[in-house]
Amino acid sequence: MASLRAFLVALFIFAVAFDPSSVNAKISKSMYFYWGAQNSAMLGNGDDLQLVLNQASGSGVKSKRPFLFGSMQMLIKLVPGNSAGTVTAYYVSSSGDTHDEIDFEFLGNTSGQPYTIHTNIYTQGNGSREQQFRPWFDPTADFHNYTIHWNPTEVVWYIDNVPIRVFRNYENEGIAYPNKQGMRVYSSLWNADNWATQGGRVKIDWTVAPFIARYRNFRARACKWNGPVSINQCAANTPANWWTSPTYSKLSDAQLGQMNWVRDNYMIYNYCNDTRRFNGQMPPECFKAQF
Ligand SMILES: *[C@@H]1O[C@H](CO)[C@@H](O)[C@H](O)[C@H]1NC(C)=O
Ligand SMILES: *[C@@H]1O[C@H](CO)[C@@H](O)[C@H](O)[C@H]1NC(C)=O
Ligand SMILES: *[C@@H]1O[C@H](CO)[C@@H](O)[C@H](O)[C@H]1NC(C)=O
Ligand SMILES: *[C@@H]1O[C@H](CO)[C@@H](O)[C@H](O)[C@H]1NC(C)=O
């Protein structure tokens, strides 16, 4: 056991030291404000990001680089207290009409009422694949690890190492998969009180503004994307090609157990369940195994 552990530690150190595609810098090195910088701040050593929403503006950051595949980790402490009407988002996205996007959105609530964790995925500009969850912890009391894991085989949404959702690649069966466009990592905080909380019935209480979401430890273990010509290069140039390795291609039985626990106990909306919305014409992936 001891030697296995030593071996794993050595392997880990090797992988961290020699993986040139891993971005593990302070947030201020890897991201910049694209909106509301005047409100917000990167404090401390540049790894204490605070996004602020007040009556003048919300705010947002995006990564300097786009990526193709990777594991995008961010530790986030959501807006505490009465956060009704606010939405904090953490997502990856390309741009244009046929964009790809993978989302976490956190819909605020009145004090003491639960947040909604909203997830979605767009492929070729087409979304409408929402799944929603209740947090099984207080997301405002401390930082939690929200990670979007995206490889050629599947997308996995993780919270504190627990997978909550998988979207598998069924491109060979005609279902679009995000694998041709580089995506940047974004986070933002904005006023969505026309829809977010109890369907828009609860408005933002500006008397308790400013609303502040805090972030640290952004880490993109990801393949840097330099445009369509270099997809293969992107993968080939990364020695620790972990996102295509079997370890990262399929959840273990233990992870499946955790995911089922979340989905059985904390899932509150699944588009694949919403026959009325789709008029009986359910999206094709709803008939495919996702795990
Ligand atoms: C965050 O979660 C991801 C996915 O489980 C994991 O790979 C990563 O090590 C976690 N980071 C921390 C700081 O726990
Ligand atoms: C807010 O709390 C109410 C009451 O518990 C709940 O119905 C609602 O889903 C919660 N979340 C949002 C975003 O409205
Ligand atoms: C999905 O539909 C079934 C049957 O109508 C229902 O029991 C279940 O709660 C629904 N799940 C979600 C997450 O909406
Ligand atoms: C867009 O997505 C919806 C929901 O997944 C699906 O029903 C529809 O067929 C898709 N449309 C196209 C053009 O892919």
Side-chain angles (χ1 to χ4, degrees):
M1 273 314 278
S3 66
L4 175 63
R5 170 172 284 203
F7 172 72
L8 290 175
V9 168
L11 191 67
F12 176 73
I13 290 168
F14 179 85
V16 169
F18 293 96
D19 178 3
S21 68
S22 178
V23 176
N24 194 14
K26 315 183 250 204
I27 294 177
S28 60
K29 278 259 166 65
S30 41
M31 302 188 111
Y32 66 95
F33 287 107
Y34 69 91
W35 179 40
Q38 73 281 2
N39 267 346
S40 297
M42 292 186 190
L43 302 171
N45 65 359
D47 203 37
D48 177 6
L49 168 66
Q50 304 197 354
L51 291 186
V52 175
L53 165 66
N54 62 24
Q55 230 160 340
S57 179
S59 52
V61 287
K62 69 196 255 191
S63 63
K64 292 177 183 170
R65 294 177 166 281
F67 302 96
L68 186 76
F69 307 131
S71 218
M72 320 301 186
Q73 162 198 301
M74 184 74 95
L75 271 52
I76 310 175
K77 187 174 172 183
L78 296 175
V79 174
N82 184 356
S83 59
T86 71
V87 171
T88 305
Y90 178 60
Y91 62 105
V92 295
S93 185
S94 62
S95 50
D97 288 344
T98 56
H99 82 294
D100 295 332
E101 185 176 314
I102 304 165
D103 300 319
F104 268 116
E105 289 186 339
F106 307 98
L107 283 46
N109 217 331
T110 47
S111 296
Q113 297 304 310
Y115 263 79
T116 294
I117 298 171
H118 174 102
T119 63
N120 200 2
I121 179 167
Y122 288 74
T123 53
Q124 300 289 307
N126 192 16
S128 308
R129 298 189 176 102
E130 300 86 354
Q131 294 186 354
Q132 295 184 331
F133 305 82
R134 286 272 179 258
W136 54 94
F137 50 90
D138 177 356
T140 71
D142 208 344
F143 288 87
H144 291 270
N145 174 359
Y146 301 94
T147 294
I148 295 170
H149 186 82
W150 166 40
N151 71 22
T153 314
E154 64 188 12
V155 173
V156 185
W157 288 253
Y158 285 96
I159 301 178
D160 294 333
N161 297 309
V162 175
I164 64 165
R165 174 175 185 182
V166 176
F167 183 83
R168 284 192 79 79
N169 184 347
Y170 284 108
E171 196 173 36
N172 58 4
E173 299 181 39
I175 299 169
Y177 188 78
N179 54 9
K180 295 176 189 63
Q181 309 185 71
M183 301 208 256
R184 285 177 203 268
V185 185
Y186 293 80
S187 196
S188 54
L189 173 58
W190 78 92
N191 171 1
D193 73 1
N194 57 335
W195 63 273
T197 305
Q198 296 182 34
R201 287 192 298 278
V202 185
K203 301 299 174 192
I204 287 192
D205 177 2
W206 292 112
T207 66
V208 298
F211 302 96
I212 302 176
R214 298 184 57 187
Y215 299 77
R216 64 186 189 209
N217 294 14
F218 171 59
R219 185 176 189 203
R221 285 175 25 116
C223 187
K224 291 164 192 160
W225 160 262
N226 298 308
V229 288
S230 53
I231 299 178
N232 294 328
Q233 240 179 343
C234 195
N237 285 347
T238 307
N241 202 355
W242 46 268
W243 68 85
T244 53
S245 82
T247 322
Y248 288 95
S249 299
K250 197 131 181 37
L251 298 180
S252 68
D253 287 347
Q255 288 176 313
L256 283 176
Q258 291 179 315
M259 185 163 69
N260 287 333
W261 171 75
V262 171
R263 297 177 74 86
D264 289 348
N265 294 291
Y266 297 98
M267 191 174 195
I268 54 173
Y269 177 79
N270 183 356
Y271 73 111
C272 282
N273 231 2
D274 200 341
T275 46
R276 200 157 53 142
R277 172 182 178 189
F278 293 103
N279 214 356
Q281 303 290 306
M282 301 313 285
E285 69 275 11
C286 293
F287 301 101
K288 307 281 175 199
Q290 290 296 331
F291 329 124

